Amino acid sequence: MNYELKNIPRHIAIIMDGNGRWAAERGKERSFGHQAGVDTVRRITSECTRLGVKYLTLYTFSTENWNRPADEIAALMGLVLTSLEDEIFMKNNVRFQVVGEIDRLPEPVRIKLQETMDHTAGNTTMTMIVALSYSSRWEITKATREIARDLRDGKISEADITEDLISQHMVTNFMPDPDLLIRTGGELRISNYLLWQIAYSELYFCDTYWPDFMEEDLHKAIESFQNRQRRYGKTEAQVEGKEE
């Protein structure tokens, strides 16, 4: 590892893409790729805790994914249940959280998610967030409706509506915005993921399918992040302290 551990992203978000194509290239059903993807989640979660990442958010199932074939959805829901049986959370002292339209999920999945969140609530090394039945447009719409109700009921005024207030109404309000967003699988799009939160995130795209994404691939993404200058609208000279 050539990169400096002192500049590890605090929050890494990942779009785990390529499971289905990985399976198809091997003559297997898409569910085979999703199962292999769970193994990658275990590897990357362990490595992130070792490196000192504090938040890891994984795009697991979007609201648009409900349009997929019923058998694939059933297989994915089954994988959610079995993967949460894994002791990786306790072994790595990882707290588990979930964001999304949880009410749309099957009852056994909802119960297991809550049990896992309760079981890991005291873990402190890293928080792993699963975006499940999630889309950013759903989240922003939900936040807008909540703010509109508060405005109607006189709880807030128009002047109270700020970026901070909007962020407080996001389902992700318990975590910082991502420093680094990684997308695997070769596609160059965000796919309705954390659109509000990644305003100033560094983006990293790679061709590697998620089942083949190894620790070395994570290291490359982090190295890329560390070689960039995050300016947040300022000039390079301002960031470097050369301009008053």
Side-chain angles (χ1 to χ4, degrees):
M1 294 180 289
N2 298 319
Y3 53 89
E4 298 181 6
L5 290 179
K6 66 181 181 181
N7 192 25
I8 296 295
R10 183 184 183 199
H11 182 179
I12 296 177
I14 304 179
I15 300 174
M16 306 179 294
D17 195 21
N19 291 344
R21 284 171 287 159
W22 182 89
E25 289 180 6
R26 288 158 177 77
K28 304 284 188 177
E29 294 183 356
R30 292 176 61 86
S31 59
F32 181 76
H34 295 312
Q35 178 62 66
V38 171
D39 295 334
T40 302
V41 169
R42 295 180 179 129
R43 287 197 306 270
I44 297 305
T45 299
S46 294
E47 184 65 2
C48 282
T49 58
R50 190 186 72 81
L51 293 174
V53 175
K54 294 303 180 184
Y55 295 86
L56 174 66
T57 306
L58 304 175
Y59 203 9
T60 304
F61 188 84
S62 73
T63 54
E64 291 83 4
N65 288 155
W66 288 111
N67 297 317
R68 291 189 174 186
D71 57 346
E72 182 176 352
I73 293 174
L76 282 166
M77 293 299 111
L79 273 178
V80 171
L81 284 171
T82 57
S83 63
L84 291 176
E85 300 283 357
D86 197 285
E87 282 301 308
I88 190 171
F89 300 112
M90 304 312 294
K91 182 175 69 174
N92 292 283
N93 195 28
V94 171
R95 178 189 178 206
F96 176 79
Q97 289 285 290
V98 60
V99 294
E101 291 187 271
I102 308 306
D103 291 344
R104 295 185 66 179
L105 300 172
E107 184 178 6
V109 174
R110 296 199 307 270
I111 292 172
K112 188 61 182 179
L113 290 171
Q114 189 62 55
E115 288 177 348
T116 306
M117 286 190 284
D118 293 343
H119 185 55
T120 63
N123 293 348
T124 57
T125 297
M126 186 181 77
T127 299
M128 189 244 268
I129 304 100
V130 168
L132 191 60
S133 189
Y134 170 90
S135 79
S136 198
R137 288 186 173 184
W138 160 80
E139 179 185 27
I140 293 170
T141 301
K142 178 178 179 293
T144 303
R145 288 173 176 164
E146 291 174 358
I147 293 169
R149 283 196 296 267
D150 286 347
L151 185 63
R152 179 199 62 196
D153 295 341
K155 295 179 180 179
I156 60 172
S157 68
E158 289 185 23
D160 293 324
I161 302 175
T162 62
E163 289 185 14
D164 285 342
L165 181 72
I166 294 171
S167 294
Q168 290 167 19
H169 282 270
M170 294 292 174
V171 296
T172 57
N173 56 24
F174 61 91
M175 65 186 189
D177 291 342
D179 300 295
L180 172 65
L181 171 68
I182 300 170
R183 178 166 189 152
T184 65
E187 303 291 357
L188 304 177
R189 54 177 176 265
I190 304 303
S191 295
N192 207 358
Y193 184 47
L194 300 176
L195 299 180
W196 177 266
Q197 296 84 350
I198 63 169
Y200 283 103
S201 301
E202 298 298 323
L203 308 183
Y204 180 87
F205 300 92
C206 67
D207 292 332
T208 306
Y209 293 148
W210 178 245
D212 289 331
F213 193 82
M214 301 294 174
E215 291 88 344
E216 295 79 10
D217 299 295
L218 176 66
H219 300 166
K220 290 177 183 178
I222 292 174
E223 281 189 279
S224 175
F225 169 83
Q226 292 175 333
N227 288 327
R228 304 180 194 183
Q229 185 183 66
R230 306 186 75 192
R231 295 194 290 271
Y232 299 99
K234 297 181 179 179
T235 66
E236 182 177 349
Q238 284 177 307
V239 173
E240 294 176 354
K242 298 176 182 178
E243 179 181 318
E244 296 182 0

